[in-house]
Amino acid sequence: EPLVWQADFSAADAFVLEKHDGAEGEMTVLGRGIRVVKTNREGFLVVKAKGFAAPTNQVLMLSADVAVKGATSDYSIGFLRACGEKTAFGIQWDDRTGEPTIGWPQMSNLINTAPGMSYRKYYTYHSVDGTVTPMLIVAGYPSTSVWANWVAEDHDAAKKLWKKEGLGWAIWNVDGP
């Protein structure tokens, strides 16, 4: 089973909102997701979920679906991060416990969505000390974002499932079986 962790949106105390460098905003747990409203241009907001245990050096793929309104293209930012018990998180790519994800604008910018629509964000994280704390970072210009289906998967286990016949890229193999 690739699923290692899933956000518990039924418990309001399962998340903590931190405001950094003058950021203003609020977080609301909705039962099926979490709404993050950033109300100014200053600093960044961090939503931390309760940490979970993971073996050291395990590669995890964190993902979440996000719906956005009121964002300013290229200036409203929202992305996933994680940290260990003894490591500080980084919001830049020099955070060596994570990996750059292709599609930088889609993975970092908050892009407005049509009502009822969302898109998925990803972040690859290498557990370093047995504990993983998933985080959402919201920065830049004001925005409202709703995050749902926030999970962490064992990357290697998920890849094995995709390699089974008929799953993943196998259906797109134009060169035959």
Side-chain angles (χ1 to χ4, degrees), residues 46-123:
V46 178
V47 176
K48 288 187 177 180
K50 288 187 177 175
F52 63 92
T56 301
N57 295 322
Q58 183 177 32
V59 180
L60 299 169
M61 176 65 76
L62 285 85
S63 63
D65 296 329
V66 62
V68 181
K69 117 178 165 178
T72 303
S73 180
D74 293 330
Y75 295 101
S76 298
I77 310 294
F79 52 88
L80 302 170
R81 284 291 182 270
C83 69
E85 185 176 5
K86 299 174 187 170
T87 57
F89 76 94
I91 62 171
Q92 301 296 327
W93 284 130
D94 62 355
D95 170 21
R96 297 295 181 213
T97 58
E99 291 181 356
T101 305
I102 60 172
W104 171 256
Q106 292 82 7
M107 294 302 114
S108 62
N109 292 351
L110 287 175
I111 302 166
N112 291 314
T113 55
M117 301 297 292
S118 65
Y119 57 96
R120 183 154 292 176
K121 299 220 181 220
Y122 297 95
Y123 179 63

Side-chain angles (χ1 to χ4, degrees), residues 1 6 10 16 20 54 81 85 89 96 100 114 118 121 134-135 138 154 158 164 172 174:
E1 174 70 26
Q6 185 170 9
S10 67
V16 174
H20 294 265
R81 284 291 182 270
E85 185 176 5
F89 76 94
R96 297 295 181 213
S118 65
K121 299 220 181 220
M135 295 178 287
V138 178
D154 177 323
K164 286 185 176 181
W172 301 108
V174 295

Side-chain angles (χ1 to χ4, degrees), residues 4-43:
V4 174
W5 171 84
Q6 185 170 9
D8 180 7
F9 295 117
S10 67
D13 65 345
F15 307 95
V16 174
L17 175 67
E18 295 178 356
K19 299 174 184 180
H20 294 265
D21 301 331
E24 292 295 331
E26 62 184 38
M27 167 194 78
T28 307
V29 179
L30 303 171
R32 291 181 45 196
I34 191 167
R35 179 185 298 120
V36 181
V37 178
K38 186 161 187 308
T39 57
N40 68 350
R41 295 186 195 183
E42 307 301 320

